Amino acid sequence: MHTRRALSCMILTCGVVAASMATLRAEDWPQFRGPARDGMSRETGLLRQWPPGGPKVLWTVPVGQGYAGAAIVGGRVYHNDYDEKKNEWGVYARSLADGKEIWHFKEFRVIRPNHAITRTVPAVDGRYVFSLDPKLGLHCLDAKTGKQLWARDLVADYKTIIPPWYNGQNPLLEQDRIVIATGGDAIMVALDKATGKEIWRTANPRKLVLTHASVMPAVLGGVKQYLYGTLNGPLGVSAADGTLLWEYPRKFNVAVAPSPLAVDAQRVFMTASFDAGSVMVRVQPDSGRFRVESVFDMKLNEWNSEVHTPIVYKGHMFAVGKKRRGLFTCLTLDGKEVWTSDGKAAFDLGSFLLADGMFFVLEGKTGMLRLVEASTTGYKELASAQVLSGPDVWGPMALSDGKLIVRDLTRMVALDVRGR
C-alpha cells in the first residue's frame, strides 16, 4: 500500500516537474522575427516586473557598427559582424550562457560605413548557418564549425543591384530550402540548403529592384506562397514552383524596410517610410488566378512604420510607427488607431518583440527597454530599464531560454528576463 502511494506520489511529482519544464522550455529563435517569422516567442514564465537595476546582464560583447541582430539555436547565438580595421565580414557563433566565442567565419570584404554597416540576421537550422552580407554575398556555413560549405554572389549570379545603405534582407529559412529576393534577373529564388542549387526562380521581366524588405511566408486562399515588398507594391510567389501569383501596383518611395505581412488568410499589409504610408490588400482565388483589391490605403499623415514589420496579435497590429515618429501603436485590422504611447514614451525607430503576453520595446535613441502589456485596450507599461546607451538602437531583438539579446551600434548584450 505504502509502495503504491509512494509510486503514485512519485509519478505525480514527475508529472508536475515535466509540466513545469514544458512551460519553461527554451524555444529557439532561428531567424529574423523568430521561429514563425512573426515577431513572437512562445516562451512563458518571464518576469513581469524587473529589479531596480533592470534585468540581470549576463554578458556583453563589442560589435562593429550596425544593426545586425542575432539568431539563437541550441544554446548558441549566431550573428553577423564587420571588422573595419581588417576589412573583414564575419559570422560568429557564441555561447548563449556566457557570450564566449565558439567559432568565427571571416572573409575579406571592403565595406564602407553608410548609415553603419551590418543589418541582417543569419538563418540557422542547427546544421547550416545562412548569412547574407551587405554587398549581397550569400554564405552557407557549417553550424558546428563555421566552415563555409557553399557561397553565392547575387550581384554576379542575378545582376542584382545593391540597395541604398546596403543589403537589409534576411534569408527565409524553410524545411528544405532558403528563399531570398534578388531583383535583377529574378524577383525571388529558392535554393537547396545543402548545395545552394536553385530549386526555382521567379521571372522578373519588369526588372523590379531589390529592397530592404525580407521574404515572408503566407497561406492565402489556401495556397502557400512567399510575400515580398517592392517599390512597386506587394506581390506573392508560389511556394511550389516560384510562379508569380499576384501583384498589387502601389508606389513606395526610395526604400522599403518593413516586410509585407499576411494578417489573416486573405489580407496583406505593407508599410514603409519616405512619405509612402501603408496599404492593406485582399488576395482571393478567382478562376485559377488571384484577384487583388485594396481594403484601405493610408497616407503618411495617417500611419506608417519606417523600419520594423508590425506584429499581429489578438486581431490587432502593433508597431512603432507614426502619425508622429516613434509612437508604439495598436491598430485594428481595419487600420483604425486604438491607442498609442503618446505622452508616455517615444521609441524613434526602436525594435519590439512579443513574448508571454508582453511587448519588449526598445527606445531607438536612448537604449531604454520598456516592458508593455500586450493589451488591445490601452498602453500599460509594466517595467523599464536602461540596457543600452544608443544612439540608433534599431537592431531586432532575439529571445531564447529566458535570455533576451539586444544591441546598439557597438555592443551586444544578453539579459535574463526570466529571473532564475
Side-chain angles (χ1 to χ4, degrees):
M1 182 72 175
H2 291 294
T3 303
R4 288 181 183 175
R5 185 177 298 162
L7 183 59
S8 298
C9 289
M10 187 164 60
I11 292 171
L12 179 61
T13 301
C14 290
V16 170
V17 171
S20 175
M21 290 178 66
T23 300
L24 299 177
R25 73 178 179 82
E27 179 183 58
D28 288 336
W29 192 269
Q31 60 182 323
F32 173 62
R33 288 174 57 83
R37 213 146 162 116
D38 57 7
M40 291 190 250
S41 169
R42 277 70 185 172
E43 291 201 5
T44 57
L46 306 183
L47 294 171
R48 295 180 65 82
Q49 293 290 327
W50 295 331
K56 181 181 178 181
V57 176
L58 300 173
W59 51 263
T60 301
V61 295
V63 288
Q65 62 167 308
Y67 321 110
I72 309 171
V73 174
R76 289 185 176 189
V77 177
Y78 299 87
H79 68 93
N80 299 327
D81 207 355
Y82 187 75
D83 187 328
E84 290 184 71
K85 293 181 179 179
K86 297 180 180 180
N87 288 327
E88 286 180 349
W89 172 253
V91 183
Y92 287 79
R94 301 183 181 277
S95 164
L96 176 60
D98 57 21
K100 290 181 179 179
E101 182 181 319
I102 297 169
W103 56 253
H104 171 200
F105 167 80
K106 57 187 178 182
E107 179 182 77
F108 182 78
R109 200 94 157 123
V110 178
I111 308 173
R112 303 301 180 204
N114 186 353
H115 279 279
I117 296 175
T118 66
R119 282 162 174 73
T120 57
V121 179
V124 186
D125 67 358
R127 184 175 182 183
Y128 304 112
V129 178
F130 301 97
S131 169
L132 191 54
D133 73 31
K135 291 190 173 180
L136 298 173
L138 177 62
H139 311 269
C140 174
L141 312 176
D142 184 287
K144 291 184 179 179
T145 66
K147 178 184 177 182
Q148 181 161 280
L149 303 176
W150 56 263
R152 301 288 294 263
D153 183 335
L154 302 194
V155 175
D157 294 350
Y158 298 101
K159 299 183 176 62
T160 307
I161 298 172
I162 300 172
W165 311 295
Y166 300 128
N167 168 60
Q169 179 187 185
N170 305 277
L172 169 61
L173 182 67
E174 295 276 62
Q175 185 173 1
D176 64 338
R177 66 188 69 176
I178 60 164
V179 185
I180 53 174
T182 60
D185 289 345
I187 296 174
M188 190 183 297
V189 295
L191 303 176
D192 178 80
K193 289 201 295 190
T195 65
K197 293 181 179 179
E198 273 190 24
I199 298 171
W200 49 250
R201 69 165 64 187
T202 306
N204 190 17
R206 296 196 293 120
K207 299 299 179 184
L208 299 172
V209 299
L210 190 69
T211 66
H212 298 88
S214 297
V215 176
M216 298 289 279
V219 177
L220 301 173
V223 176
K224 183 176 180 181
Q225 50 196 273
Y226 301 123
L227 309 180
Y228 188 59
T230 77
L231 292 171
N232 300 79
L235 57 83
V237 166
S238 167
D241 59 13
T243 301
L244 181 63
L245 298 175
W246 60 269
E247 294 180 88
Y248 181 77
R250 207 281 192 171
K251 185 177 183 293
F252 286 83
N253 304 319
V254 184
V256 174
S259 300
L261 183 67
V263 302
D264 57 26
Q266 290 188 343
R267 290 178 290 178
V268 173
F269 183 75
M270 180 173 168
T271 184
S273 57
F274 297 103
D275 300 332
S278 309
V279 66
M280 182 81 80
V281 298
R282 179 173 284 107
V283 182
Q284 294 176 294
D286 184 10
S287 303
R289 302 175 63 86
F290 280 89
R291 182 177 75 255
V292 189
E293 60 186 5
S294 174
V295 178
F296 60 82
D297 197 310
M298 306 169 80
K299 305 306 178 189
L300 176 69
N301 61 357
E302 293 180 82
W303 192 87
N304 75 308
S305 176
E306 297 179 76
V307 174
H308 297 287
T309 307
I311 290 174
V312 177
Y313 180 66
K314 290 187 175 180
H316 290 70
M317 290 187 292
F318 297 81
V320 171
K322 63 178 185 182
K323 297 178 181 181
R324 294 206 317 274
R325 169 181 272 194
L327 297 181
F328 194 56
T329 305
C330 172
L331 301 169
T332 70
L333 297 186
D334 296 322
K336 305 299 183 184
E337 181 183 292
V338 178
W339 56 256
T340 78
S341 62
D342 193 13
K344 302 177 181 69
F347 297 93
D348 187 59
L349 301 179
S351 65
F352 45 92
L353 178 153
L354 177 63
D356 203 9
M358 301 173 289
F359 286 100
F360 295 81
V361 195
L362 274 168
E363 288 186 1
K365 287 185 177 179
T366 69
M368 177 75 75
L369 179 66
R370 298 186 186 274
L371 191 62
V372 179
E373 186 81 49
S375 168
T376 59
T377 59
Y379 178 89
K380 181 183 178 183
E381 188 171 303
L382 303 173
S384 65
Q386 192 73 48
V387 298
L388 296 166
S389 57
D392 297 351
V393 187
W394 302 345
M397 292 178 268
L399 175 66
S400 178
D401 194 25
K403 300 175 180 69
L404 184 71
I405 308 298
V406 298
R407 67 159 295 164
D408 57 18
L409 278 179
T410 60
R411 292 185 303 149
M412 180 171 283
V413 177
L415 305 170
D416 178 4
V417 294
R418 182 174 287 157
R420 271 151 253 263

